[in-house]
Amino acid sequence: MRVSVVGAGLGGLALAQGLRGTGIEVDVFERDPGIVARFQGYRLVLNPIGFQSVRDCLPTRWHPLLDEIVMEASAEQLILDPQLNEIGKLGAGRTGIVVDRQVLRHLLLTGLTVHTDAALTGYDALPDGKVEARFTRRDPVTSDLLVGADGVTSAVRGVLSPQTVPTDTGVRFVIGRTPLTDEFASLSKAYGSKIAGDGVSLLLGAMRFRTPPKQAAEQLAPEVTLPDIGDYVRWAMILPPNGSLEDLSAQEAVLSRMDGWHPELRALIEQADPDNSTLLSIRVVKPGARWASGPVTLLGDAIHATSPTGGNGANTALRDADLLRRCLIEADHGQQSLLGAVDEYERQMFEYGAEAVRSSLEKLPAFAPEAKLS
């Protein structure tokens, strides 16, 4: 069996790793000109399903390394005012496994064949049941299954399910990171909480590695190269829908909305790494009607992009990867047909994927009351 994965995000790479480990031939095609062409960092909180999914997709020999580069975390999920006084609670406390997206992505990339500068331009189902994918600047590729793991603007989805389109909630947020130093120790109660300002929300989260990733890889899995990165605070400010940024930089946009805030909060933003701070929009993709069964399917944000306020986007993509991996292994072993395996994957994925989107949107008004949810 040969599988072509379009998109080198966490979900697509986890699937590729899981298939590679069973001997299924797999290639990954990425539209970016290089693997590190753009920053793809920041911390993620993985729930038990998400963490177990990525663990099951990785070779067992890398499990000790994975365990060393994550941290267990819990947060009270308080609501604080700009002077860090408690004024409420977001809900029940949250626990999970915290991992850095950039570090995890480099681990998942190890040993894979990834073709960069390969934007999908279209595909055709062939008479023999296979699929031929076309890309910019490379020859067409024929495989048994084409998997669109290419995000919110998925080119694969544009052909497979053109009626399924992203919805822009109108909400924008600025995200960045700042080295975690002793100066910010007193901010610990704000990690995992919401700081409510005038029309904005600031969210903080700490990333502390048990062992620095580069050092951990050298000690536990020398064939793996991980980024040389230290502990940091991830911060994100959710802005009013369609608010003007007046051509400000990411840091300037945040600081302009923090007049009178606690000085340590302002210092956190002032000391952020400007290269790793950016403005993003919150768009969602709601799974619609199922498409006709065939040798093409979708995974992750390409079919169920969630609002980050749900904390379940990466978890759901990794769940997809592990589920599809298991279904394809059954097909490769002759336990069911390939189309039967894809159908079983899609049946389950559509159900929990739709729930993930619904749940994330349900939580969004707590951070952005004017968001467009329809």
Side-chain angles (χ1 to χ4, degrees), residues 335-348:
Q335 296 171 278
Q336 63 175 319
S337 68
L338 175 59
L339 290 184
V342 173
D343 180 73
E344 175 63 18
Y345 158 71
E346 291 177 351
R347 182 185 63 78
Q348 295 185 49

Side-chain angles (χ1 to χ4, degrees), residues 177-334:
R177 72 183 191 191
T178 304
L180 180 54
T181 63
D182 292 341
E183 178 181 356
F184 302 119
S186 63
L187 293 178
S188 59
K189 73 174 182 179
Y191 300 151
S193 298
K194 179 182 84 167
I195 302 163
D198 184 13
V200 299
S201 298
L202 181 66
L203 312 176
L204 307 182
M207 182 71 238
R208 298 184 182 92
F209 299 102
R210 292 171 179 165
T211 302
K214 186 175 185 295
Q215 178 183 334
E218 291 170 349
Q219 294 173 349
L220 298 173
E223 72 276 20
V224 178
T225 301
L226 296 183
D228 188 7
I229 181 176
D231 297 348
Y232 64 87
V233 178
R234 187 272 298 136
W235 50 265
M237 178 171 278
I238 299 179
L239 305 172
N242 301 315
S244 172
L245 295 180
E246 302 160 350
D247 297 323
L248 300 175
S249 70
Q251 284 171 284
E252 291 169 342
V254 174
L255 289 169
S256 70
R257 290 163 171 81
M258 294 179 68
D259 288 344
W261 285 44
H262 193 287
E264 289 190 9
L265 291 173
R266 289 187 58 87
L268 184 74
I269 307 304
E270 290 168 349
Q271 296 180 33
D273 177 358
D275 293 334
N276 295 327
S277 304
T278 189
L279 171 71
L280 299 170
S281 61
I282 295 182
R283 293 176 292 171
V284 299
V285 176
K286 300 177 182 178
R290 285 274 301 274
W291 47 80
S293 296
V296 184
T297 193
L298 299 172
L299 176 155
D301 283 357
I303 184 58
H304 47 62
T306 68
S307 162
T309 50
N312 53 18
N315 284 295
T316 311
L318 293 170
R319 182 177 181 179
D320 290 351
D322 189 42
L323 173 60
L324 183 54
R325 174 188 72 89
R326 294 173 186 273
C327 291
L328 293 180
I329 289 172
E330 289 185 359
D332 193 51
H333 291 173

